[in-house]
Amino acid sequence: MPKDEIGAQRYIQEYPKYDGRGTVIAVFDTGVDPGAAGLQITTDGKPKILDVIDCTGSGDIDTSTLVKADEQGTIQAAAGREGRLVLNTTWVNPTGEWRVGSKHLYDLFSGGLTYRTKDERRRLWDAQQRLAVTAAATALSAFDRVQGAAAKLSEELKKTRSELEGRVALLRELGKSYEDVGPCVDAVVWHDGSVWRSAIDTSELHELGSGKGLLKDALPLANYRLEHQYGTFSEVDCCNYVSNVYDDGAILSIVVDAGAHGTHVAGIAAAHFPDDAGSNGVAPGAQVISCKIGDSRLGSMETGTGLTRALIAVLDHKADVINMSYGEPTSTPNAGRFIDLATEIVNKHGVIFVSSAGNAGPALSTVGAPGGTSSALYSIGAYVSPNLAAAGHSVREPPAAGQQYTWSSRGPTPDGHQGVMFSAPGGAIAPVPQWTLQTADNRLRLRIEDRVALTTTAPWLSCPSAVLMHHSGRSFEVRVDPTGLPAGLHYAEVLGCSVDEQAWQGPRFRLPVTIVVPLQVRKWEGVIICVLRESVVCCRFRLPVAIVVPLQVRKLGRVITCVLGLKLFVRCMSWLPVAIVVPLQLPTDVPNLTLGPLEMQPGSEHRHFVAVPNGATWAEVLLRSGTHDTPKIYLFRATQLRPDSNYKEHETRTQVTMTSNAEHTVNIPVSGGSTMEVTLAQFWSSLGDSSLTYEIQFHGVGLASSGDASEEGGSSAGGVAVDGSEGMRKILLTAPLRNERIKPEAKLTTLRIPLRPTEALLQPLPGPRDLLPEGRTVHRLLLTYKLTVTEPGKYKPCLMLLNEHIYDSSLEAQLYMLHDSNKRLLSTGDAYPEYVSLKKGEHTIRAMLRHDSPDFLDKLKGLPMVVKRRLDTPLALPVYGSMREAVAAGNAAGEVLLRGGEAMALFLGSLPDDKLPKDATQGRMLTGTLSLGQLRRGGSGAAPARLPLSYLVQPPPEKAANGGSGAAAVDPSAAVKTVDERLGEALRDAQIAFMKDLELSRARPGPTGLDPAADTPDHRTASGHMRALGCAAGPPLLFAPITHAPLCGWGMCTALRMEDVPCYDQRGTLCLRKPPLQELKLSEPAQEQLYLSLQAACKAAYPTHLPLLTEHLNKMDAQRCTDKDKKRTVAQLDAVVAAADGVIAAIDQTQLAVLLSVKCPEDTPAASLVKKEAEEKRAALIDALAKKAIALLEREELLTPVITSAPPAPSPDAKPDAVAAVAAAAAVAEVPLVVAEAEVEGSEADAAPAHVAGAAAVAEVVAAAAVGAAAAGADKADVAAAVVAPAADVVMAAFNELRRYVDTSSEVPHLMLHSRMEARAKRYTTALRSLDKLLADEGKPAAGAPSRKELHTLRAAMYVTLGWAHLAKHEAALQPIRYPTDFPLF
């Protein structure tokens, strides 16, 4: 701990009681581990850590769900979690109400801890996986031993072997694709009559069945500030946590540090080791408040919410000092919502706020906010002392005096503030969290720190004097100097001996070093140019020598000396720092600058301020190193400060390692007319002297005003905008500095998708952690955006008005969450959004904005969002050299020479429609860059100066009325049809369209347009409906002349919903208003009777009309029971089969096959119509076959338990007669031989509607057959075999018929059926692969198809069937993450 450098050690020795006692330090950081060594008590015996708070909300759990315990003392887990939790009987809960919630630990853990936990869990999972693979391989091997060669197997045995072989392959594939989503903990919150308490079930962190981590064994925790207790998740992670309850039990905050830095900082400030005073912090008597501002959801990035709540906690605990190690670049120093609150804390409440300056040095004005840019805060830089360099960094040659770290940020700020107020040691050996240990059991860990003295066994080998070893290892530098060694082999060692051990114990380690000095075959000569006093001497030599001479810089014949003046220090109340920069002026004729040689030492810095010429857009910098013995590390910075921009936006940073006499080129974009600071520094730990020379060449290619009126808004110095509907955009280029090579290239890389909020909710946050001083309540605005992703790829949600601002933002906080259609959290972002991969489908983006002024937030309710999609392949926008080429879409412009001072025109064309992305719709914008200039150094390539480019997508081309080009297909028979025939077909089509809107399962609510007096019992029948509509009683007319059109007594024709057929009222006036179906106010029975009436009448008139038959099939297939499982009854399935048979019978499959087999049909309208009709028939046939097969399969699955419960027959002798009886009954019925559900449910047939009435008759025949079989003496198994076996044949026959037309194993609409059929045959691996294909499809599931959640549940069930329990468990763990019950808390 480097305390001597700042006098802390000496001060405490002189004043031992002034060690921070009575001082409270609030640590704004990643969080502090309450179990860390040295952070338990103060020097006067008080608790070291007063409170541990997660200010970000990343550990919040929704515990608003209330449950009651049953008689066994168990409670139901949170929604989405299976099983019940056992309570501890000693826990006191007067109300009997328990609040439950759950949290995935990877949402809490830091990146390092997550990686280590995953590694351990993967090890355990691999062990189970290897057992499963071994078992599957053993089964395959046993099969081969019994059955022999695969070539001699029957077809059924081949399928069996293929299944066994597939299991081995599938297991190996699943092992490679394993994804660990992490364990989930169940949380319970209750009030014990005095305080709120919580407990956590961590059983998922332990081996299944071990009994560890159960809720009943958990330590019940109160808020940390009350009892100072904490828990540990498990021995595997060694991660300590704290629980805090908010909002009357509705929110439980699990506090886990987001990184090790916060504990490290707390240890530097206030660690106390009673037995090791040398490891104490600066103020071992101080107490600490841990304010976690690093959000675990953002990789420990700070958030505005965390910063504000931390300030509130400072006032709540009356802290004296704030230490903050976070910061970001800012465009506006000393401004922003957080800066205002922090200034209020300092000025009104007397809190000392200390913050880091930043790590962006060594260029000037690189201090970050809030520390370096806020006048109310003390900004601290980092320096390294000789002792710290030797002990902490094991530097071989420590610096003679302390110096600033090369990477530490420098002031002043752009608005003139000093920037860095103090500097302190930038490194220390201090406590770290317990979870950073690499061993699972902390009790097995040996000493983790050992001071080792280093020595060498030969003078040509040198190293640091000592190194402090710890558990993660240390590195140090070793220097080998073979100068003067004779030819041959030389060996030496670096010996590491512990300073606490005796010499006889020997070294802890030996580092062997072997070098070879070869014999020189011939002599060689070299030349060294040395500066000796006033003359230049050329020295020739034959052996390697080292010459060290003093170097003096001469100018105009005189030696430049540095005059040191005396400084007069006067006591003053304040001071005003003033910094001015006088830049180097370049020659007007040649925009080049050469500087050097610059003498460099470790930690030395050279900075020059260069006036960038007007018109310059990039610079090429050539670095040349001098002669030195070892490679050197240099930092290069080129920084320009621009208005309302932070330094990072106009800075080039690079670190380069250069050997002796090497060259390195850096190309940087610049802004003409502004000063650029060029900083070169040798890294502080890069030992040895060196020299460096650099040369800067400025270049410029820019846009010039063309004077064209059409240029308005099209181009400027800031970029080029192209409107695709204009066809092209002309721009003028100039090269103001010198001749430049021009090679224009326009690339569009991003599509911008604008969104508006679909919902805006403004609400106060009345909790104490969101209550500012003087009773100011923080308000929250929740904005909801809907995003439809039609192209998979990487997307980034951006609030363009607010992004890129944290400390200088007018808002207190901004945060967004991106979810899929199942509410699964895909990404969390803040002011610096990042790209996330999205699949096709609907997505929801929720954005949260916070401020204490509701009026301010109210103005942002309509805040637009831009979602940026990164194109998979950049689009090349054509660039032409002339208007002629642009109009003709000819040859693109190539490389040309643009002479200095001249101008040239370029023409940017539009993108062809076929090149546009599918989601690049009219009005959306594509963005990218336009590169113009070419580099001169370092080979060819585009210059780093690129202009922003935007492209407004043009309207799509109008499509022909028939959907394509050419003449529309015309029905040749239409010309010979009479008016009455065409009218009849129109009425038929209108009735079919009307039938689509009728609901058979439930009525749709809606306002009625009928006369209340007409609402009679007669109105509830189909005929009543027709009479109420002013139409004739009975079925509607299917064929009638216009004069017999149905009349509406109230001026509307609703029953038929005719779009093209006129309707007249009683007075003969044309009726134009067509109200929706809801106005009928039909109940379920009435709608059903109306549908049956229309369907029967239409089918009688048009028995083979395919649209009518397919519509009826769709209606029957869409029917479901009203039970929770939405399963269909046997009667409903029979209706589907009957409807499907009707469609199949209406299609001549032989004729269809002939039509579809024609490879090159005639290119005529009539032929096109025939082909179109054939395709429609094929689609209808496939749909009917599929629905029939599915219905038969479901029917079989429903009836299996009914068959197994059939009464057994006593006489086995009558088996043949029994089977024959069943078969005969089935033959008479001419239906699939299965047992109908009506047989069991009894009254279902009587209550069934007319369209399933046939099912009752089928049930009676089959039931009689089953009873007859039983009476004939058949036992239970034979009845099942006689009834099920033929049904199974029917299912397979329907499935095989479908496979004549489609490949069910690859086509998405039929993958589910294929999977079920494979599972039916007990070929589970093939069934699983079909499920995987279905889950991989990004399209929206069809109506009636299983949801993705149901597919995942089915996959888990198949894993259980196969005996793969570890895979089933893993699949079950994924379900709450994939399909959460609600959105997570902010």
Side-chain angles (χ1 to χ4, degrees), residues 1052-1320:
M1052 59 185 71
C1053 178
T1054 308
L1056 301 182
R1057 294 182 63 87
M1058 296 179 293
E1059 301 294 338
D1060 301 317
V1061 180
C1063 174
Y1064 300 89
D1065 60 13
Q1066 300 286 3
R1067 297 167 295 181
T1069 305
L1070 183 64
C1071 173
L1072 298 177
R1073 190 169 80 89
K1074 298 178 175 62
L1077 179 62
Q1078 286 87 336
E1079 295 189 7
L1080 289 176
K1081 197 179 181 181
L1082 300 174
S1083 61
E1084 284 189 27
Q1087 287 203 44
E1088 193 163 298
Q1089 291 186 19
L1090 179 58
Y1091 172 83
L1092 295 174
S1093 175
L1094 291 172
Q1095 198 272 338
C1098 291
K1099 186 175 181 180
Y1102 300 94
T1104 61
H1105 186 55
L1106 199 56
L1108 175 65
L1109 300 176
T1110 55
E1111 174 56 31
H1112 180 59
L1113 173 59
N1114 293 335
K1115 281 290 186 191
M1116 298 299 101
D1117 187 64
Q1119 285 199 94
R1120 294 291 187 274
C1121 292
T1122 56
D1123 63 352
K1124 186 176 181 180
D1125 295 332
K1126 301 296 182 183
K1127 292 182 179 179
R1128 294 186 283 190
T1129 64
V1130 172
Q1132 290 172 333
L1133 294 171
D1134 287 339
V1136 174
V1137 174
D1141 286 336
V1143 175
I1144 297 170
I1147 299 174
D1148 189 338
Q1149 299 186 38
T1150 303
Q1151 182 186 16
L1152 180 63
V1154 172
L1155 292 174
L1156 295 176
S1157 64
V1158 179
K1159 298 298 182 182
C1160 300
E1162 299 180 8
D1163 190 12
T1164 62
S1168 299
L1169 182 62
V1170 172
K1171 182 179 180 181
K1172 179 181 177 182
E1173 291 179 349
E1175 293 291 345
E1176 292 175 351
K1177 288 182 179 180
R1178 181 180 182 274
L1181 178 62
I1182 292 173
D1183 181 65
L1185 290 172
K1187 289 176 178 176
K1188 178 181 178 180
I1190 293 172
L1192 289 173
L1193 181 59
E1194 290 183 12
R1195 198 173 192 275
E1196 177 187 84
E1197 293 170 350
L1198 281 175
L1199 294 174
T1200 300
V1202 175
I1203 296 171
T1204 57
S1205 61
S1211 175
D1213 299 333
K1215 289 181 181 179
D1217 296 334
V1219 174
V1222 174
V1228 172
E1230 296 183 349
V1231 294
L1233 191 53
V1234 292
V1235 179
E1237 188 176 359
E1239 167 190 336
V1240 178
E1241 298 182 1
S1243 61
E1244 179 180 335
D1246 299 333
H1251 64 280
V1252 293
V1258 173
E1260 292 178 3
V1261 174
V1262 178
V1267 173
D1275 60 15
K1276 177 179 178 180
D1278 289 320
V1279 173
V1283 177
V1284 175
D1289 293 338
V1290 172
V1291 175
M1292 184 57 67
F1295 181 64
N1296 289 334
E1297 185 69 17
L1298 173 64
R1299 298 189 67 180
R1300 291 175 53 195
Y1301 294 92
V1302 293
D1303 181 6
T1304 57
S1305 64
S1306 61
E1307 297 191 21
V1308 173
H1310 310 290
L1311 282 173
M1312 186 61 202
L1313 174 60
H1314 186 87
S1315 176
R1316 294 174 66 180
M1317 291 299 295
E1318 290 299 303
R1320 178 177 181 265

Side-chain angles (χ1 to χ4, degrees), residues 74-112:
T74 66
I75 58 174
Q76 178 62 44
R81 301 279 293 162
E82 297 181 358
R84 298 186 67 83
L85 304 173
V86 181
L87 297 172
N88 190 312
T89 56
T90 63
W91 292 346
V92 178
N93 185 354
T95 64
E97 294 181 342
W98 306 87
R99 295 175 174 268
V100 294
S102 63
K103 189 77 171 180
H104 283 85
L105 286 188
Y106 289 173
D107 296 337
L108 299 175
F109 286 177
S110 65

Side-chain angles (χ1 to χ4, degrees), residues 744 879-886 891-894 904-907:
V879 183
Y880 305 100
S882 66
M883 181 178 293
R884 178 178 180 180
E885 295 291 344
N891 297 323
M904 67 174 295
L906 290 178
F907 300 85

Side-chain angles (χ1 to χ4, degrees), residues 189-514:
V189 174
W190 72 97
H191 198 279
D192 66 358
S194 300
V195 296
W196 285 100
R197 294 196 177 274
S198 63
I200 295 179
D201 183 295
T202 61
S203 56
E204 287 193 13
L205 285 164
H206 305 274
E207 292 187 17
L208 186 64
S210 65
K212 296 181 179 180
L214 297 176
L215 178 68
K216 64 184 180 66
D217 300 324
L219 174 66
L221 299 177
N223 285 14
Y224 185 84
R225 67 184 300 177
L226 300 178
E227 299 178 355
H228 301 111
Q229 288 185 318
Y230 62 89
T232 304
F233 287 117
S234 72
E235 296 178 354
V236 175
D237 51 74
C238 298
C239 181
N240 300 322
Y241 68 89
V242 164
S243 297
N244 294 316
V245 180
Y246 300 108
D247 297 351
D248 294 329
I251 294 178
L252 171 64
S253 175
I254 303 296
V255 189
V256 177
D257 42 331
H261 192 268
T263 304
H264 184 72
V265 169
I268 294 174
H272 171 54
F273 293 88
D275 300 328
D276 183 12
S279 298
N280 285 350
V282 176
Q287 293 179 294
V288 171
I289 302 170
S290 171
C291 298
K292 176 184 174 182
I293 63 172
D295 198 310
S296 300
R297 298 167 294 188
L298 303 174
S300 77
M301 178 73 180
E302 78 267 42
T303 63
T305 301
L307 292 167
T308 303
R309 286 177 173 172
L311 292 177
I312 295 173
V314 167
L315 297 181
D316 184 28
H317 289 273
K318 296 180 173 55
D320 303 288
V321 180
I322 299 173
N323 185 94
M324 178 173 168
S325 301
Y326 276 74
E328 300 290 335
T330 180
S331 60
T332 310
N334 210 31
R337 181 60 183 159
F338 174 75
I339 303 302
D340 295 340
L341 294 175
T343 302
E344 179 183 343
I345 292 290
V346 172
N347 294 336
K348 288 188 177 182
H349 301 276
V351 178
I352 299 174
F353 201 146
V354 180
S355 180
S356 60
N359 303 332
L364 299 184
S365 301
T366 53
V367 288
T373 62
S374 307
S375 59
L377 278 64
Y378 290 105
S379 176
I380 312 299
Y383 87 98
V384 56
S385 65
N387 290 338
L388 178 58
H393 299 284
S394 300
V395 175
R396 179 171 47 85
E397 298 177 6
Q403 61 179 340
Q404 205 81 350
Y405 278 100
T406 313
W407 42 260
S408 184
S409 294
R410 270 57 164 184
T413 62
D415 62 351
H417 191 265
Q418 185 172 347
V420 180
M421 306 296 292
F422 306 98
S423 287
I429 305 300
V432 292
Q434 290 186 355
W435 57 259
T436 59
L437 304 180
Q438 302 299 312
T439 303
D441 191 349
N442 191 26
R443 295 170 298 177
L444 301 179
R445 177 164 298 282
L446 301 176
R447 292 179 56 194
I448 62 173
E449 291 185 355
D450 189 11
R451 184 171 178 81
V452 178
L454 302 178
T455 59
T456 63
T457 61
W460 51 264
L461 184 64
S462 60
C463 64
S465 61
V467 62
L468 186 63
M469 303 295 296
H470 51 70
H471 69 276
S472 60
R474 292 298 300 275
S475 62
F476 56 87
E477 185 183 78
V478 175
R479 185 175 187 270
V480 178
D481 183 8
T483 305
L485 291 178
L489 186 68
H490 301 270
Y491 176 83
E493 292 179 341
V494 177
L495 304 180
C497 300
S498 175
V499 297
D500 298 328
E501 296 178 355
Q502 301 296 326
W504 61 266
Q505 291 179 294
R508 283 294 184 90
F509 62 84
R510 298 173 182 267
L511 177 63
V513 179
T514 303

Side-chain angles (χ1 to χ4, degrees), residues 667-686:
N667 303 308
I668 58 177
V670 298
S671 298
S674 62
T675 300
M676 177 176 67
E677 176 193 354
V678 178
T679 306
L680 281 167
Q682 184 173 323
F683 202 73
W684 74 272
S685 60
S686 183

